[in-house]
Amino acid sequence: YRAAVNEQQQLSNIEVLHGSVAVSGASKQRLIMAGYGTQITQGEAPIPAKKLLPPPAMKPIQGPIHSINQILSWPSIKGAREYRIEVSTEPQFNTLVWQQISAHSRVPLPDLPDGQYYARIRGVDQLGLEGENHVTALDLDARPQPPIQLLPADNKSIRGTAPQLQWTESEEADYYRLEIATDSAFQNLILDRDDIQGSRFDTSALPLPGQYFWRLTSITSEGEIGPIGMQRNWQGKPIPKQT
């Protein structure tokens, strides 16, 4: 069971998750069964047992999470005024690495090191009684982060010249893998290099006309490869002939 004391309001909440708990107050005792809770105000009897909110009907998260501050969301629970979210490195939740109360059924995950985590989510009702838990596994694999592509603008048409690709430099990366393809699925690669340094690349060797798709991946000096960055494209066109 869980017990929480609000000293300012001089009340306590008891939430029973397994078995049963006898709760006393003002010379009156109530037996609270699993799945129910009660509230005790100082000097008063416990309120009648109230059914705890059900766990969020959240779907398992498939695959690794590649984005820092990824949004974690779940269906709203009827009767919930807010939600408690807890993150731990172990399914028993003996030690929490992060927790937060949210008034919405979504929350951005904290900026944590890559690794295996577990998130525990439960609704909180109008009395402050916390409901049953939903636990989901999280596989964070967001580092090193890919750089942000700057130029050319996505889907830009460029006439008569080849653009210089530009991006932000990542503090976590020592090299970049640059892929350029003629298709959005990157099946037809015309350039694939994993030794790019700096934040620019000259595309003048590419033929005109042509449509090109490009993306970047960060690589550390130890060889750790991050998630693939966003896909962008440009279209190279010849200068129109004068008539």
Side-chain angles (χ1 to χ4, degrees):
Y1 71 94
R2 297 188 298 252
V5 178
N6 187 322
E7 296 181 356
Q8 293 179 340
Q9 298 183 23
Q10 297 183 322
L11 56 82
S12 300
N13 285 345
I14 305 294
E15 301 133 12
V16 181
L17 304 177
H18 304 285
S20 60
V21 175
V23 181
S24 301
S27 302
K28 186 169 183 179
Q29 185 178 87
R30 292 188 186 276
L31 185 65
I32 309 299
M33 306 301 293
Y36 289 82
T38 186
Q39 189 173 86
I40 315 162
T41 302
Q42 186 174 0
E44 298 180 12
I47 67 171
K50 184 180 181 184
K51 188 168 181 58
L52 300 179
L53 293 176
M58 183 178 176
K59 296 180 180 180
I61 297 175
Q62 302 294 335
I65 294 173
H66 295 309
S67 299
I68 293 175
N69 303 126
Q70 171 77 29
I71 298 296
L72 197 63
S73 62
W74 54 91
S76 300
I77 302 175
K78 185 178 180 180
R81 75 178 188 197
E82 57 193 14
Y83 301 88
R84 182 180 295 277
I85 306 95
E86 300 168 323
V87 175
S88 176
T89 56
E90 52 191 16
Q92 297 82 11
F93 285 82
N94 294 322
T95 303
L96 299 180
V97 297
W98 180 80
Q99 62 177 321
Q100 185 168 316
I101 294 289
S102 174
H104 309 285
S105 58
R106 62 199 303 271
V107 68
L109 288 171
D111 185 357
L112 295 170
D114 287 352
Q116 184 74 40
Y117 296 91
Y118 299 87
R120 184 165 66 185
I121 305 164
R122 55 181 178 265
V124 182
D125 69 14
Q126 301 302 318
L127 291 177
L129 292 171
E130 302 192 8
E132 299 188 48
N133 295 312
H134 174 86
V135 177
T136 187
L138 307 174
D139 180 12
L140 300 187
D141 184 19
R143 290 180 173 80
Q145 278 284 287
I148 298 172
Q149 293 144 297
L150 301 175
L151 293 173
D154 193 28
N155 205 29
K156 184 176 180 62
S157 293
I158 302 172
R159 290 190 178 274
T161 185
Q164 185 176 70
L165 307 183
Q166 297 183 34
W167 57 87
T168 61
E169 289 199 53
S170 171
E171 294 182 358
E172 302 173 321
D174 295 279
Y175 306 93
Y176 301 102
R177 179 187 181 188
L178 171 62
E179 297 172 274
I180 301 177
T182 57
D183 65 307
S184 60
F186 285 81
Q187 296 296 313
N188 185 25
L189 285 168
I190 57 174
L191 184 139
D192 185 1
R193 286 179 51 183
D194 60 4
D195 60 348
I196 304 294
Q197 291 183 295
S199 59
R200 298 169 184 264
F201 186 82
D202 184 6
T203 65
S204 58
L206 301 181
L208 288 175
Q211 184 172 22
Y212 300 102
F213 298 82
W214 66 294
R215 62 189 184 185
L216 291 156
T217 304
S218 293
I219 306 172
T220 68
S221 58
E222 292 79 21
E224 182 180 0
I225 301 174
I228 297 173
M230 294 180 61
Q231 168 188 298
R232 297 182 74 166
N233 77 89
W234 83 92
Q235 188 169 13
K237 296 183 178 181
I239 297 175
K241 295 181 179 180
Q242 295 182 352
T243 57

